Amino acid sequence: MRISVVIPVLNEIENLPDLIADLREIADCGELIVSDGGSSDGTREWVAGQNNILLMDAPRGKGPQLNSGATRATGDILLFLHADCRMNRETWKAFQSALAGSRIAGGAFHVRFLEKEPYSLRVVEQGINARTTMTRTATGDQGIFVRRDVFATIGGAPDWPLFEDVELVRRIKNAGKFVVVKAPLIISGRRYIKHGVIRTAMLIFLLRLGFWLGLSPQRLKKWFEDVR
């Protein structure tokens, strides 16, 4: 089973090389695709200078960047990773094992923050994992994966400025079984640290509540500052 890893990026020169190094240490990591939304910090130039990475220029926005990367993917499975996450061999093997069932349409990972401090990150981490286990829902930083034929059938990811990942997961779940890999994907806490852990967690909760109450992603995006 061939896996295509699609990484949407925008000004990620400080993080992307570490993730690429992780993936290259995993011999069977498959195809690497970086979908760039107009980086100006050297990210695009760095990728262009690497071997065996397909660089895609895409319209800015997670949805369009995921879709652009997927159009060039040749793998049976699409794995969407954020540039500031880290992947280890144990988690990769658990991911491969989770794909064994033919009825599985896609899934995502439990997470663990890279940073050890502040302790409140552990509380947020536990909350994310509990929500994921109970509701079988996930966000983009949890490493969403999907069978390539399913992704095409459901129309890919929506062109939304926010919650495109939540809608993508909903579409995957409608297409088949959604699994949760409990071996954690290592993620960055930079957004929480920059804006305050509790403040950021509460903001995300309120934004999700607004989304489920019917507020548009375009309107909600006004209250969600980009960390980059």
Side-chain angles (χ1 to χ4, degrees), residues 192-204:
Y192 292 90
I193 292 171
K194 179 178 180 180
H195 300 294
V197 176
I198 302 303
R199 177 179 179 273
T200 302
M202 287 300 299
L203 174 60
I204 291 173

Side-chain angles (χ1 to χ4, degrees), residues 20 35 123 128 152 195 215 218 226:
I20 295 297
S35 184
V123 177
I128 292 171
H195 300 294
L215 295 179
Q218 291 76 15
D226 199 318

Side-chain angles (χ1 to χ4, degrees), residues 82-101:
H82 285 185
D84 59 358
C85 76
R86 303 296 302 271
M87 173 67 73
N88 59 44
R89 191 176 299 275
E90 178 184 355
T91 299
W92 185 267
K93 288 182 177 179
F95 160 56
Q96 288 181 307
S97 297
L99 296 170

Side-chain angles (χ1 to χ4, degrees), residues 82-206:
H82 285 185
D84 59 358
C85 76
R86 303 296 302 271
M87 173 67 73
N88 59 44
R89 191 176 299 275
E90 178 184 355
T91 299
W92 185 267
K93 288 182 177 179
F95 160 56
Q96 288 181 307
S97 297
L99 296 170
S102 59
R103 293 177 55 249
I104 294 171
F109 298 81
H110 273 190
V111 297
R112 185 170 70 240
F113 284 110
L114 175 65
E115 297 84 0
K116 303 301 182 183
E117 300 290 341
Y119 176 76
S120 50
L121 282 175
R122 304 279 79 76
V123 177
V124 173
E125 175 185 295
Q126 292 169 13
I128 292 171
N129 292 338
R131 182 209 71 214
T132 302
T133 298
M134 290 187 293
T135 65
R136 289 296 192 272
T137 59
T139 53
D141 54 357
Q142 292 179 249
I144 297 169
F145 54 90
V146 59
R147 295 189 185 277
R148 184 160 61 94
D149 58 347
V150 170
F151 189 78
T153 299
I154 64 178
D159 183 9
W160 294 355
L162 199 64
F163 293 121
E164 80 294 326
D165 45 3
V166 174
E167 172 62 12
L168 174 58
V169 168
R170 187 192 68 80
R171 294 179 184 183
I172 295 171
K173 290 170 69 176
N174 284 342
K177 186 177 181 181
F178 188 87
V179 297
V180 176
V181 178
K182 293 188 176 180
L185 182 69
I186 307 302
I187 66 172
S188 171
R190 58 179 175 166
R191 177 183 298 280
Y192 292 90
I193 292 171
K194 179 178 180 180
H195 300 294
V197 176
I198 302 303
R199 177 179 179 273
T200 302
M202 287 300 299
L203 174 60
I204 291 173
F205 170 77
L206 291 173

Side-chain angles (χ1 to χ4, degrees), residues 2 21-31 89 92 96:
R2 182 170 169 80
D22 287 348
L23 294 170
R24 282 180 164 164
E25 286 184 5
I26 301 169
D28 55 353
C29 74
E31 183 176 52
R89 191 176 299 275
W92 185 267
Q96 288 181 307

